[in-house]
Amino acid sequence: MKIGILISGRGSNMVAIAEAVRDGAIPDSDVAVVVSDKSKAPGLEKARELGIETVVVTRKKRSREEHDAEIVSELKKHGVELVCLAGYMRLLSAGFVRAFPNRILNIHPSLLPSFKGLHAHEQAIQYGVKISGCTVHFVDEHLDHGAIILQKAVEVRDGDDADSLSKRIIVHEHAAYVEAVRRIAAGEIVIKGRRVNTKAITHDD
Ligand code: GAR
């Protein structure tokens, strides 16, 4: 499975996926390209160090549709079959979503549907929840909305701020994202509307 990863910043989730592919934890796959909308994203250098081709597609005052069309064309050029958003901080256009039906994943640092959008850790702390975490989900045209693949819960401690909470959640993000991509690469997932189930493996399979 050829994977394309979109980043805007640090790229630690991208590195987790790329290392899992390299080490065989995600089977029969290859990270074909890392695309960033920010030319200075620190993750770009990390991708190059891992020997992965990188492409920068900045917005350049274009519409979302025009910008996304160029990204889609780069991904298709590299034969990408699964797109992973990894700290990619832009909403995708309908055209982008339609180009990869049920083939775009995102990770978000909260237990969706709580605390969508920006500053999820701060939102969780301000709300006063005792449990937060992270969610890997399919991407549709709505913000942090598509069908959920898996979630990991993380305790919110007294005295946590956004920084301390994010440091504990990010470790689970890496594990959750790798596991979600592994399940897809291994063909273990069945999608029924909003419900994403693990395929029952029988001896006849
Ligand atoms: C991660 O915490 C990810 O969940 C979050 O940005 C961070 C990127 O870190 N994404 C969102 O908030 C998307 N709404 P990374 O660049 O080190 O993977």
Side-chain angles (χ1 to χ4, degrees), residues 136-177:
V136 185
H137 63 95
F138 285 110
V139 172
D140 63 16
E141 289 150 42
H142 308 287
L143 179 68
D144 298 327
H145 174 267
I148 291 171
I149 301 166
L150 64 85
Q151 297 185 297
K152 301 272 186 197
V154 174
E155 190 186 353
V156 181
R157 296 182 188 153
D158 293 356
D160 259 340
D161 59 15
D163 193 47
S164 61
L165 182 59
S166 76
K167 284 195 172 105
R168 285 207 314 289
I169 292 179
I170 195 78
V171 181
H172 295 273
E173 289 190 37
H174 298 163
Y177 219 162

Side-chain angles (χ1 to χ4, degrees), residues 18-37:
E19 288 182 345
V21 166
R22 182 196 64 195
D23 299 343
I26 296 172
D28 305 322
S29 298
D30 173 40
V31 180
V33 65
V34 168
V35 179
S36 174
D37 62 328

Side-chain angles (χ1 to χ4, degrees), residues 87-91 106-124 132-133 135 137 142-146 173:
Y88 183 69
M89 302 312 269
R90 280 177 63 76
L91 196 63
N106 182 42
I107 186 142
H108 184 73
S110 73
L111 293 177
L112 291 174
S114 293
F115 314 127
K116 297 176 178 180
L118 295 175
H119 312 301
H121 308 98
E122 188 60 34
Q123 291 186 56
S132 191
T135 304
H137 63 95
H142 308 287
L143 179 68
D144 298 327
H145 174 267
E173 289 190 37

